[in-house]
Amino acid sequence: MSAGEKAEAKTEQAKGKAQEALGRAAGDERMESEGQGTKSKGDAREAKEKTKDAFKH
């Protein structure tokens, strides 16, 4: 996995996790679900990169 893509995926996952926690603490369901979505997007990006790496080797 390229370092840039990996960093982007990790950043997205962390941002989503923080937004989800903040939404949960504030009782804001919309913010919480947006955080979950962002985290999932980061997870998907990471999985895509790992798949690409698997086929390169």
Side-chain angles (χ1 to χ4, degrees):
M1 175 175 356
S2 74
E5 288 291 325
K6 184 176 183 180
E8 227 175 290
K10 291 294 182 187
T11 300
E12 215 162 26
Q13 290 169 334
K15 182 179 172 184
K17 195 171 188 178
Q19 187 177 15
E20 182 181 359
L22 186 61
R24 186 174 298 128
D28 187 341
E29 290 180 16
R30 181 176 176 199
M31 183 185 291
E32 185 178 351
S33 66
E34 285 175 0
Q36 289 172 344
T38 302
K39 191 172 86 174
S40 294
K41 189 175 171 185
D43 291 343
R45 182 187 306 258
E46 184 177 36
K48 178 186 85 170
E49 290 301 315
K50 284 183 179 181
T51 301
K52 283 175 29 181
D53 284 348
F55 283 103
K56 284 182 182 177
H57 299 285

